[in-house]
Amino acid sequence: MKKLLQCLIIVLVFIGCGTANYATQEYIPIKKTPVKYKKSNKIEKSPSTNLIEKMNDNKIAIIFPSYTIGKYALEATNSVNTYLIHKNTNFTLKVYDLRVQNRQNIFKVIAQIQKDNISKVIAMITKEDLVYLNEIPNIDKIQFYFPLINKYDVKNIAKLNKLNALFGAINYKEQFKKLINYYRGRSFVEFYDNSGIGRTLHSHLKNERIKFTKKIDDNNGKYKSFLVNNPKLNNSVLLLNTPIVKSSILLSAINAQRSTIFSIVSTQLNYTPLLFSLTQKNDRKKLIVANSIGKIPSELEEYNNLIGNNLSYSWVNYSITVGVEYLINGNITIFDDLSLKNNQVVYPIKLYRVKNNSFQLIK
């Protein structure tokens, strides 16, 4: 089964076209129902014609800027493929690489999508360039899914009135709210770094009362200067807004310096099994993480696991899968703990303690 899936998850060969690349793949499912023959004088369409018509209904495009999200782009394409093969449905998947996300490339790719008569698009772009889509003629004829954008993070969303869109990113602000409410009454401190996600998470806390904030960048692993003899850390809850590798180093340093931090909390950013290989047991004993990846239909999870495409710990892959379900069926009812509200996917938020070798749900 694994070899079969790996064969079906086709490696896409990109064909250069100006500043963007395009590739196409088609899939016709294997039907197990026996063929029935009957006499008829009626001239019917051939099976191949019917398949082509159905494929036209299930044509999906995925666009992304590979220079900035190359890794996620490959995983996203695999997620779309795996979902559609799991559904055993006819589909045509067309992949458009923006390379660099800017107005010119977005206009060029959308023009090609319109020429290719595709009306369902997964757009892996960031919120900064949504305004360009709104400028394109007949853009309302395309149904967009934005897996990397949460609607409530977009300023002046009302001005994007031409877009027919569903937003699918998780809500980091709500994760922070749940983490902070869990330790209501405690004082909070924050460590963040200069990565894109670090700056974004830091900005989400601008309205919170944070007693001490430290930007972690050029310390070369030497964190003693702010971890030792820092009274602001005493009995405080640390909001850890750094990616997993830096988080692991910080957790180790906090433990080594016998810091008097009361607890450490983090968002989806550090909900990853890498914690168990990059840290020691005592390093993570105070850590609690938030997670918004909901229930996954068991068969769909098995298909993804067979090709090494983990949905349980990759919220981007999970969001992509939710988006394909919506574009194909017009709903997301197979994900029974998710909902749609005002063109935004609403995810559950659960808190987990990081134990010896697993995440333990806090009920």
Side-chain angles (χ1 to χ4, degrees):
M1 181 65 176
K2 184 173 183 178
K3 289 182 179 179
L4 174 62
L5 274 177
Q6 288 173 336
C7 290
L8 290 173
I9 303 299
I10 302 169
V11 177
L12 300 176
V13 179
F14 292 102
I15 304 169
C17 180
T19 57
N21 291 333
Y22 313 121
T24 307
Q25 71 179 87
E26 294 182 352
Y27 171 70
I28 300 175
I30 300 171
K31 299 296 183 182
K32 297 180 181 179
T33 53
V35 178
K36 295 181 180 180
Y37 298 95
K38 63 179 180 178
K39 293 182 179 181
S40 174
N41 294 324
K42 183 180 178 181
I43 300 175
E44 297 182 352
K45 294 181 181 179
S46 69
S48 60
T49 302
N50 287 330
L51 281 174
I52 291 171
E53 288 181 351
K54 290 179 180 178
M55 277 189 170
N56 285 335
D57 291 336
N58 283 342
K59 291 170 72 173
I60 294 179
I62 182 168
I63 65 175
F64 52 77
S66 61
Y67 282 10
T68 51
I69 61 163
K71 172 193 171 186
Y72 290 122
L74 178 59
E75 290 182 358
T77 304
N78 284 344
S79 295
V80 175
N81 275 313
T82 306
Y83 169 85
L84 292 168
I85 291 170
H86 155 257
K87 297 291 281 189
N88 201 36
T89 186
N90 310 297
F91 72 87
T92 300
L93 175 63
K94 212 154 191 181
V95 179
Y96 301 81
D97 183 0
L98 295 166
R99 294 190 181 177
V100 177
Q101 181 179 308
N102 57 39
R103 186 178 186 274
Q104 178 184 357
N105 290 350
I106 287 173
F107 270 58
K108 184 174 291 188
V109 161
I110 296 301
Q112 186 63 46
I113 287 172
Q114 291 174 327
K115 182 179 179 181
D116 293 339
N117 195 31
I118 299 176
S119 61
K120 299 173 182 178
V121 176
I122 296 172
M124 299 186 69
I125 63 174
T126 54
K127 62 183 179 181
E128 288 76 17
D129 290 343
L130 279 179
V131 64
Y132 300 142
L133 286 174
N134 203 57
E135 298 174 6
I136 299 174
N138 298 315
I139 197 66
D140 59 315
K141 301 295 191 297
I142 298 177
Q143 189 174 24
F144 284 97
Y145 180 76
F146 297 107
L148 304 182
I149 305 174
N150 187 286
K151 175 182 176 180
Y152 300 103
D153 292 335
V154 181
K155 295 180 180 178
N156 301 318
I157 187 72
K159 293 184 178 180
L160 304 177
N161 55 354
K162 294 180 181 179
L163 294 184
N164 176 11
L166 179 68
F167 298 86
I170 61 174
N171 195 325
Y172 280 111
K173 291 178 182 177
E174 290 299 315
Q175 288 194 352
F176 277 129
K177 185 182 295 185
K178 187 150 189 172
L179 289 166
I180 291 171
N181 284 341
Y182 186 75
Y183 282 116
R184 184 178 297 175
R186 290 276 175 183
S187 58
F188 289 87
V189 296
E190 180 203 8
F191 294 167
Y192 75 103
D193 71 353
N194 200 39
S195 64
I197 185 63
R199 294 193 305 271
T200 296
L201 294 179
H202 173 65
S203 69
H204 288 335
L205 293 172
K206 63 184 178 182
N207 294 324
E208 300 293 339
R209 297 180 64 181
I210 307 298
K211 185 168 67 172
F212 172 77
T213 297
K214 179 66 179 177
K215 185 177 177 182
I216 312 294
D217 272 323
D218 301 320
N219 298 289
N220 298 316
K222 298 177 181 179
Y223 305 130
K224 186 175 180 179
S225 61
F226 58 88
L227 288 177
V228 177
N229 297 323
N230 185 347
K232 293 181 180 179
L233 300 183
N234 293 343
N235 289 315
S236 292
V237 176
L238 169 62
L239 293 157
L240 190 60
N241 292 330
T242 52
I244 181 59
V245 173
K246 190 164 288 184
S247 292
S248 300
I249 296 171
L250 280 165
L251 289 169
S252 177
I254 289 168
N255 181 48
Q257 298 300 331
R258 299 183 179 180
S259 170
T260 55
I261 290 172
F262 179 78
S263 184
I264 305 166
V265 299
S266 189
T267 61
Q268 194 80 41
L269 180 61
N270 285 304
Y271 181 74
T272 167
L274 286 174
L275 272 172
F276 304 107
S277 58
L278 296 178
T279 63
Q280 300 296 315
K281 178 174 64 176
N282 286 337
D283 296 343
R284 54 183 183 264
K285 65 183 180 181
K286 294 182 178 181
L287 181 60
I288 289 176
V289 293
N291 171 41
S292 288
I293 296 175
K295 297 176 184 177
I296 304 167
S298 58
E299 191 176 80
L300 179 58
E301 187 172 22
E302 289 172 9
Y303 268 72
N304 277 276
N305 288 341
L306 282 170
I307 64 160
N309 198 48
N310 197 314
L311 297 184
S312 299
Y313 293 103
S314 171
W315 76 260
V316 175
N317 290 347
Y318 181 65
S319 173
I320 290 282
T321 305
V322 173
V324 184
E325 171 70 11
Y326 177 77
L327 291 176
I328 293 295
N329 294 317
N331 61 67
I332 57 170
T333 54
I334 66 167
F335 301 95
D336 57 15
D337 55 349
L338 307 187
S339 61
L340 302 178
K341 184 177 181 181
N342 298 326
N343 301 105
Q344 170 65 49
V345 180
V346 180
Y347 299 93
I349 301 174
K350 297 179 181 179
L351 303 184
Y352 293 82
R353 295 188 188 280
V354 185
K355 305 301 284 186
N356 291 352
N357 55 10
S358 65
F359 294 100
Q360 183 183 79
L361 178 64
I362 298 173
K363 297 182 180 180

